[in-house]
Amino acid sequence: MSATPTNSTTPNFTDLGLSEALLKAVRDKGYETPSPIQAQAIPAVISGKDVMAAAQTGTGKTAGFTLPLLQRLSSNKGVKVGTNNVRALVLTPTRELAAQVSDSIADYGKYLNLHSTVVFGGVKINPQMMRLRQGVDVLVATPGRLMDLYNQNAVKFSQLEVLILDEADRMLDMGFIRDIKKIISVLPVKRQNLLFSATFSADIRALAKGLVNNPLEISVNPENSTAEKVTQWLVAVDKKRKPAALTYLIKENSWRQVLVFTKTKHGANKLTKYLEAEGLTAAAIHGNKSQGARTKALAAFKEGRVQILVATDIAARGIDIDLLPNVVNFDLPNVPEDYVHRIGRTARAGNTGQAVSLVCADELKLLCDIEHVIQQHIERKALDNFSPVNALGESREIRSSKAKKPKKPKVNKVEHADGQHLSKGHQAQSKKSPANAKPTGNGGRRRRAKPQANR
């Protein structure tokens, strides 16, 4: 079952079946008109239906499930939550996103007699166990820490009414599928299920088969689309000159708030030190940073005390800054869909923003893959005094995303993930290797983050 936007007049929050206590909290935040995802998801969730919703970052999806969840829980008056029990569980892939969702629940539920808490790794577990002892209406959690708590009998699910998977696609990318399946296996069969994801990929639909029942599908933007109000452009620059080019752009354009993406944790640290040596205030967030350090850096960035936040993809998940004007891809991502997630950090909540990519000759294939996914060429701009010695080649012709993929050209040798060269025959054999063969490397285009990083 699918839901599509109607041509009727845009509803107000008062039309969506929310209580006066929730409407007052919405007004406190200055909102009057719901976003498309909110207008469709809120009534569906309140009705008790299972929901699958595809929405990019910046569309208001968090309130799209937070508000109706609070409405449902507050409508069932007189429910007493038992010791260590929870009535609703929200699973998120990262600590930052868990904290963001928890803040949203606190903001919208401040006039309700409901209790919520958040649990994630990187901090002591005992205080979290103490908060759960009294029972909570809403628990927001990362999968790893939730499993730790469950294994210690610190959380029970006999009273669970609603399960929400937020950014389910990212949870799969990060390797949480086993934890998610274990968690689902210990939940009551009779419950409402809500699944929110950037896209409805084949993996997400496979997960949904064992999770949602006759769901209402909601999609508010085309798959892998980029926000309309994001101005995208790139600069061709040699790899070694990227730090200097970034510094020049920030200073020349007087950028006051910049989110910069790097591929690696080491690259994030190295770039941060370079920017600080150039007289700029910068901080790095990545999986090796403690939760306290990540929270502190993000707060300083939001408050303007830090001008530049350098982040890896996983650490940046959950960063929610409505007025963030600039996103820079210092390195292009290996997975083209991540480009969509990255630039979705700007132009949120109806605001405008720009996404700038620094692209070296070695990244041409990555650029072409991104342009294929977003179905458009990214404008190229020259930067004074930074013309590359190794010229960036021309982009490929953009084929329809529905077209068949072209056959890969035959090559004599390929570079394996562990750096070994394989012949054509060996390459073909590796593709048909038995299920019990030991992997010699990552073997894929993307490395999965260890779930322990967010436990």
Side-chain angles (χ1 to χ4, degrees):
M1 184 175 182
S2 299
T4 55
T6 65
N7 295 323
S8 60
T9 304
T10 303
N12 291 320
F13 279 104
T14 53
D15 304 321
L16 302 181
L18 299 174
S19 67
E20 181 53 37
L22 288 169
L23 292 174
K24 184 178 180 183
V26 169
R27 289 194 295 268
D28 287 351
K29 292 182 69 69
Y31 300 137
E32 294 181 1
T33 304
S35 68
I37 185 67
Q38 293 165 358
Q40 297 179 65
I42 290 174
V45 176
I46 291 176
S47 72
K49 295 178 181 177
D50 281 11
V51 172
M52 284 181 64
Q56 300 290 353
T57 56
T59 58
K61 66 177 177 62
T62 302
F65 64 77
T66 298
L67 286 168
L69 172 65
L70 294 172
Q71 177 65 39
R72 281 210 65 194
L73 296 177
S74 61
S75 296
N76 296 330
K77 297 180 180 179
V79 176
K80 182 175 175 58
V81 189
T83 303
N84 294 112
N85 255 289
V86 299
R87 296 177 62 196
L89 173 63
V90 184
L91 287 177
T92 71
T94 67
R95 309 163 188 172
E96 285 77 16
L97 184 57
Q100 174 193 324
V101 173
S102 179
D103 288 344
S104 178
I105 291 170
D107 287 343
Y108 291 122
K110 62 183 179 181
Y111 300 117
L112 300 173
N113 188 26
L114 295 174
H115 301 284
S116 65
T117 193
V118 58
V119 297
F120 46 70
V123 295
K124 293 181 179 180
I125 197 171
N126 285 344
Q128 297 176 350
M129 297 174 73
M130 292 295 292
R131 293 199 301 271
L132 286 168
R133 189 168 295 175
Q134 302 302 316
V136 294
D137 294 286
V138 185
L139 175 62
V140 185
T142 52
R145 177 50 60 95
L146 182 65
M147 288 302 300
D148 289 342
L149 290 163
Y150 179 77
N151 290 333
Q152 296 185 53
N153 295 317
V155 61
K156 301 176 182 177
F157 301 113
S158 60
Q159 289 185 268
L160 189 87
E161 301 171 35
V162 185
L163 169 66
I164 300 174
L165 296 188
D166 190 16
E167 300 206 354
D169 54 329
R170 183 59 53 172
M171 279 196 273
L172 296 187
D173 288 343
M174 291 174 65
F176 284 130
I177 183 62
R178 292 183 65 184
D179 279 348
I180 292 172
K181 288 183 176 180
K182 286 180 181 178
I183 292 166
I184 292 173
S185 70
V186 300
L187 301 182
V189 175
K190 187 178 180 181
R191 63 179 190 269
Q192 183 181 18
N193 303 287
L194 313 177
L195 186 152
F196 285 74
S197 174
T199 62
F200 289 153
S201 65
D203 288 340
I204 288 297
R205 291 196 177 277
L207 173 64
K209 284 184 179 179
L211 177 66
V212 294
N213 299 309
N214 190 27
L216 175 70
E217 288 192 16
I218 300 171
S219 183
V220 297
N221 44 269
E223 188 170 345
N224 295 324
S225 66
T226 54
E228 293 180 1
K229 295 187 178 182
V230 179
T231 301
Q232 303 172 63
W233 52 281
L234 67 83
V235 174
V237 61
D238 289 324
K239 186 175 183 179
K240 291 183 178 180
R241 300 208 68 198
K242 282 188 178 186
L246 175 61
T247 303
Y248 175 84
L249 284 169
I250 293 171
K251 291 183 176 180
E252 185 71 13
N253 296 289
S254 300
W255 291 346
R256 303 309 309 162
Q257 197 176 40
V258 192
L259 176 60
V260 181
F261 285 96
T262 62
K263 276 185 181 179
T264 66
K265 293 172 282 191
H266 172 72
N269 288 336
K270 186 176 179 180
L271 179 59
T272 299
K273 291 180 180 179
Y274 180 94
L275 294 170
E276 289 179 329
E278 292 294 318
L280 299 168
T281 55
I285 61 170
H286 51 67
N288 282 357
K289 295 281 187 178
S290 69
Q291 181 58 36
R294 289 160 69 168
T295 302
K296 184 178 178 180
L298 182 56
F301 182 61
K302 286 184 176 182
E303 294 166 8
R305 291 181 284 113
V306 167
Q307 184 178 357
I308 306 151
L309 189 66
V310 185
T312 54
D313 287 293
I314 291 173
R317 201 69 172 181
I319 291 179
D320 184 17
I321 306 171
D322 286 345
L323 299 177
L324 178 64
N326 306 295
V327 169
V328 176
N329 294 294
F330 185 82
D331 302 313
L332 291 185
N334 287 331
V335 177
E337 289 79 6
D338 280 350
Y339 175 84
V340 179
H341 292 304
R342 287 181 176 188
I343 73 171
R345 300 295 157 199
T346 187
R348 298 166 75 102
N351 297 297
T352 58
Q354 66 175 339
V356 183
S357 299
L358 304 180
V359 187
C360 65
D362 293 343
E363 295 175 302
L364 177 61
K365 184 181 183 302
L366 297 178
L367 172 63
C368 293
D369 290 344
I370 288 168
E371 291 180 329
H372 170 73
V373 165
I374 66 176
Q375 289 291 287
Q376 69 181 81
H377 287 298
I378 301 172
E379 180 186 0
R380 300 188 182 199
K381 293 185 179 181
L383 198 59
D384 293 341
N385 303 320
F386 287 94
S387 297
V389 175
N390 302 303
L392 179 64
E394 294 297 319
S395 296
R396 293 194 304 256
E397 177 186 354
I398 295 179
R399 298 173 179 270
S400 168
S401 58
K402 296 181 180 180
K404 292 182 179 179
K405 294 182 179 179
K407 293 182 179 179
K408 294 182 179 179
K410 293 182 179 180
V411 292
N412 291 325
K413 292 183 178 181
V414 295
E415 186 84 13
H416 198 260
D418 60 3
Q420 297 177 346
H421 288 283
L422 304 179
S423 66
K424 287 192 294 184
H426 194 170
Q427 181 185 7
Q429 183 180 359
S430 67
K431 289 182 179 179
K432 299 178 181 179
S433 58
N436 60 353
K438 294 182 179 180
T440 57
N442 188 44
R445 295 179 60 199
R446 176 182 196 147
R447 294 182 183 274
R448 293 191 183 275
K450 296 180 180 179
Q452 288 86 345
N454 285 311
R455 292 179 69 160

